[in-house]
Every structure is written in structure tokens, then in C-alpha cells.
Amino acid sequence: MLFVELALIRWTGSNILYLSYFSNFILLASFLGIGLGFLRADARRDLFPLAPIGLAALIAFVRLFPVEIDRSGTELIFFGALGTRSGLPPWLTLPVLFLGVAGVMTLIGEGVARTFRRFPPLDAYRLDILGSIAGIIAFSVLSFTGAPPVAWGLLAALALALLASRRSRIWQLPVLAVIVVLLGLESIVPTDSWSPYYKIRLITQPSGAVSLLVNGIPHQTMEPAARRLETLTLYGLAYQRTRSLPKNVLIVGAGTGVDVAVALQKGVQHVDAVEIDPRIHTIGVQQNPDRPFQDPRVTSYVNDGRAFLEQATSHYDLILFALPDSLTLVAGQSSLRLESYLFTAEAMQAAKAHLTAGGAFGEYNYYREDWLVDRLAGTLREVYASAPCLDSTGHFARLALLMASASPDALQCPAVWQPGSRTVSPAATDDYPFLYLRDRTIPGFYLLTLALILLAALLLVRVTAGRLQSMGRYLDLFFMGAAFLLLETKNVVQFALLFGTTWFVNSLVFLGILLAVYLAIEVARRVELGPSWRLYAGLLVALGIAWFVQPDLLLRLSVVPRFLVAVAVAFGPVFLANLVFAQRFRDVAASNVAFGANLLGAMVGGVLEYVSLITGYRVLLILVGALYAAAFGLQRLMTVTFAPWRALR
């Protein structure tokens, strides 16, 4: 179940363009569907055998109607192809996709739930977590190997085939074969390959240049550095703005190596090239005509740029952030992009600390909006105590180069940034890393989408579970689910800041959370935990510690102590939260209804995560504490309410 959820988040984002920016959309549909499946476990007809048909239909829809969702406006910037749209209109595609994912996960969730009821509640939960651990490991292995979608489909089809009854296997096997064929046709396209983040397509232009598209969006172009300097002089402009030629250069966002080749052509002595995507780096090694990564003057690092800055000890004459804009989120349950922590005020301070005495910092991109240029320039002014240099075309997507230095004589600037009469947007921070969000607000299209999701969830739960009376006894578990999803999200974003926004760090965090949950279950099975208020008190204390031990304190530590303290601070509340859950869940009368209520609560927690767009991520800990306090109050209330009924029985 978890493997299919992760695969759908990953795969749909590669075919429904810009869905990479709405991966929570698929996550919420998954939680809703699994919750509905658990609520259906007592129904007369078992719908789990229909799961292959539902999955095949969903895959066929996405393959037949891939779509680019055009989001333009000034509230939130989406990088991608400018002014184009393909496929069905988003108002039709997104609801069909949401309902399709929810439907598929309902069918699979019902199969899990019907098996769930055959075990004591805590034993069932233990097996469920062990299966989830297997799912995250399998998906991580496939990501590491760069496996295409057909491998994901084969694994899911094999699992469904093994779970099929003899009667249904006769007709299920052909349907599963259709799934494998549909994904196989996509996987054998010779120009396509898969990284842990993107579906990558290479297109050779008539000029001989090779365009690299990620998730269907133009991202990079490989061509000789000499030609690039002729057509886009901004690429070499950073070296003209420095008064002396930099000897040691750091390039973050090295991509396929064009910026590295430009640096070498300008005559630098050494380049440290940092690129987060291993497949894009490999393409550059194999196909860049200048072969920059093979040059002995270049050292390559496949890593997150912020993580590299936190871990490196070298100093540079020039640090260049070369178009490091991602086209995807870190995970399915946060609003972080891969580069979110690279442009915060704290990140700019970290870059400044790696400059030599006369060193300079530069960043350039197609920024789209004037307010974004102002935000970045204002951040540099705060860090370097002077306005940065600004070179900009101002015509095509606001292509701009910003440069700053702590040494007043390091740069020669024809033009210096002036905010004019415009109000400069405040800098992004490590707690509020939403660079591309103009104001501290939840954008209108997010609010509308979330409102429709909640309305659909209410209607679907009402149809599935009747008047919801069966869930009334488990409202505390509902609140626990919402709280735990927010706690999980907070851990994902914190580890991304501390150790990098890479897929590997993200997988380790999810695996760590599942292991902490499993450990809590084993403790609850073997140890008498005593009154629940003690566990709740311990949980609130752990949340308080997490509130006071902020990431800026941990970033001052070296990697090993940082990891040990981060694990204790992050996974302590996870462990205690699951002791609370396990103690409550052990004695529930209807494990499928109780677990369904918990999963639906997690869906609501996914909606509440968008509060961070207003408050930042730290405040989520207060929301987590409030939700667990509400769960405790409801648990005490229900204990009093249902105690006389139990005595009569």
C-alpha cells in the first residue's frame, strides 16, 4: 500500500506537469482512499480484487491525457515552460486524478483492512508497519538504481498477483499485464531516463545543442561554452564583474556542466561543481561536448547545495548559484522545493563564510517577477551590508544576475540594485523558506483546492460510513492522526535543512520514523505503560524540547553530533506519540474503524500543513501539541461516556 502511494506521487508528477508542485494533492487523496478502505472493511462485498482494474484505469488515464497545468500570477511562482498548455483542462484533470487515486487506494486499503481484522489490533498495526518499512526500502532501492516506471509496475503487479485468490487470479493477471505494458511503453522511450526526482528527456536541436526536459518542462541545454557565451552573455558576466579573475570557484547547480565549462574557458584554476541530481550529472559527464567534468581542474559533488555549504571547509574567490531552480517538491508532505533552503538569509550567510577576503557571490536565473529579484537583492543587502550589483535584460522572464561582496573593491558594477518605490519583500528564512511566495498567505488556488478536497472527503466518508456514528468513539484517534502527520512533516523539513534536500535524506527520515513507530509498538506489546496522562505529559515535554532546540543550534555542530542530537530531538516525540497511539489502539473494539479514523485525521493534518505558508514550520509544533491535547481530552471524555456501557455488557 505504501509502495503504491509513493509510486503514484512520483509517477503522476512526471506526467501531469506542475503536479510536482502539488504532490500533497496525491498524498491527501491516498490518505482519504485508505481511510475509506478501512471503513469499508465490514461491507458485504469485498472490493479489493478490483484494485488491479482501478490501478490500470488510472495509469491509462494519465498516459492518454498528460497535461501541463498553467499557473500564472503573482502570488506564487512556478518555473516551467512559458505560456504553454497541453492536454485536458486542469479543472477536469485534477478532480479525475484526485478521485482516481482515492479510488485505487480505497480498493487496496480495503484489502489491508480486511486482513487487519483477523489479528489483535496491536499485532495488525505491527505487521502493517513492517510492511510499510518493506515498501519504503523497495522504493528507495528503485530510486537509487534509476529504475523506470515499468519496474515499479512489475513490483506492484507481483504483490497484487500474490494476494489474489485463485478465482480472481484468472482475470486479474491479464489486467496486471496491461499495467506492466502501459508502463513498459513509457519506459522504453530511448530519449527518456529517470532520476530520483524527475523523468528526464533529451532532445537534439537542429543546431546540435541537446535540450534536457524534466517532467516535460525545458530545464537545461547542453552546447559548447563558446556558443553559449555568444548567445547569452550573462553566463560569463560574473567573471567580468570581478576586478580580478577568480582562481577557486564553487558552482551550485552545476547541472550538465555548461556553467562549469564557461568557468574553465574563462581561465579559473579550480572548480567545485555541486549538482543534486545524479542522473543529470551523469548525462553531463557523458554528453557535454566540452567534457568539463573530466577536466582535472574540476571536482564534482552530487549533493544538495546548502548541505555542501554546511559541510565544506574550502574557501572560494567566487561562489555562483547557477540557475538552481527545481521543478519538484522534496516529498509528498511538505511545501519545500529542492532549493528552498539554498536562498534563505541563513544560506547566504553560510555562502559568505566560504568566501576569501576579496571573494564575491553571484546568483542568476530567469526570475519571472520583479518582486522576486527585489527579495533576493534585499537579502544580499542585509548579508553584505551594501546593495548588490544587478545585470538584467528585463525582457525575457526577467533574466538577472545579482552579485555581492564583503570587499568594496572586489566588484566593478555598471548598475547597483535600487528598490525604488517598491516595497521589498522580506527575505526567506530557514523557518520560512518559501522564496517564491510573495506574501505570507495561502494562495487562493490552494485554498480552493483544499476546500474542495475537504468537501469531497466529507461526502465520500458519509457515503462509505453512513452517519459516521461508528467513528464517534475514535475521535481522539482522528486528532492523533492529524497531529502525527504534522509531526512527520516537521521532521522531514528539519532533516532536509540539516542534511540536505536529497531523496536519500528524505528516504532515511521516513525509514527512521517507521522504525521509531515499530519500536513503540514492540514496547507497548511488552510493557505496561500505566496511565495515559503520563505518556501525554512526556510527549508534550518532548515537543517543548523540539521547540527550543532549533536547527540553527544544530547547524553549529559537526555532522556526527548534529545527526545524533537531531535524531533524539526529532524521533523522541515520534516514539512517545506512538506509545500513546499503541496504548489506545490495543483495546479498540473495531480496529478497522479506529485505524480508518486515524488515517482520515492524517488527511486533515495534510491540509493543516499549509498553515506553514503563513506561520513558518516552527509553529507546527504548537499545532501538534494542541491536537494531542485535544486527543487527550476526547479520550478522557469517551472513557467516561462509554464506561457505563461497558459495565452493562
Side-chain angles (χ1 to χ4, degrees), residues 281-541:
H281 174 71
T282 299
I283 291 172
V285 171
Q286 295 172 346
Q287 301 190 36
N288 190 301
D290 291 317
R291 297 291 187 263
F293 294 120
Q294 286 86 338
D295 194 293
R297 293 173 290 172
V298 176
T299 304
S300 299
Y301 300 89
V302 178
N303 197 1
D304 168 68
R306 177 67 182 276
F308 180 87
L309 288 172
E310 298 294 345
Q311 298 163 14
T313 57
S314 301
H315 288 78
Y316 303 93
D317 303 311
L318 175 63
I319 295 177
L320 195 59
F321 285 7
L323 291 90
D325 53 71
S326 70
L327 300 167
T328 189
L329 299 179
V330 170
Q333 50 197 120
S334 77
S335 297
L336 283 181
R337 304 187 192 184
L338 296 184
E339 79 279 16
S340 288
Y341 285 125
L342 193 59
F343 291 98
T344 64
E346 294 87 345
M348 294 297 109
Q349 290 285 0
K352 181 183 177 183
H354 284 281
L355 291 175
T356 57
F361 172 85
E363 56 187 348
Y364 65 92
N365 209 327
Y366 297 93
Y367 290 116
R368 271 64 171 179
E369 298 288 344
D370 288 337
W371 63 261
L372 180 55
V373 175
D374 288 341
R375 170 172 289 168
L376 292 167
T379 304
L380 292 178
R381 182 178 60 180
E382 291 179 11
V383 172
Y384 290 92
S386 61
C389 302
L390 173 62
D391 289 278
S392 175
T393 64
H395 301 296
F396 181 68
R398 196 63 162 92
L399 176 61
L401 166 68
L402 292 161
M403 295 196 70
S405 175
S407 174
D409 299 326
L411 297 173
Q412 44 190 3
C413 303
V416 176
W417 169 73
Q418 296 290 342
S421 60
R422 298 188 302 270
T423 301
V424 179
S425 302
T429 66
D430 284 349
D431 183 55
Y432 191 84
F434 306 115
L435 175 69
Y436 306 116
L437 183 63
R438 180 171 183 172
D439 302 306
R440 281 185 175 250
T441 184
I442 302 176
F445 56 84
Y446 276 175
L447 289 173
L448 177 60
T449 301
L450 294 174
L452 292 175
I453 286 174
L454 290 175
L455 177 61
L458 185 63
L459 294 174
L460 290 173
V461 171
R462 176 68 175 81
V463 171
T464 302
R467 296 184 178 276
L468 308 183
Q469 294 176 347
S470 59
M471 285 203 305
R473 292 174 291 171
Y474 305 119
L475 280 178
D476 57 331
L477 292 175
F478 177 91
F479 278 85
M480 288 184 200
F484 188 74
L485 193 283
L486 291 175
L487 182 60
E488 190 175 48
T489 300
K490 181 65 170 64
N491 286 339
V492 167
V493 298
Q494 179 152 322
F495 272 80
L497 170 60
L498 296 176
F499 303 102
T501 56
T502 64
W503 70 271
F504 184 69
V505 170
N506 189 54
S507 294
L508 286 180
V509 173
F510 280 119
L511 182 59
I513 289 172
L514 290 172
L515 289 174
V517 173
Y518 179 75
L519 180 61
I521 295 170
E522 292 297 339
V523 170
R525 293 176 69 221
R526 292 170 168 80
V527 178
E528 180 56 46
L529 298 175
S532 62
W533 68 265
R534 295 179 182 175
L535 296 176
Y536 276 102
L539 174 57
L540 292 178
V541 169

Side-chain angles (χ1 to χ4, degrees), residues 153-163 176:
L154 277 171
L155 193 55
L158 178 62
L160 288 169
L162 291 174
L163 292 168
L176 294 173

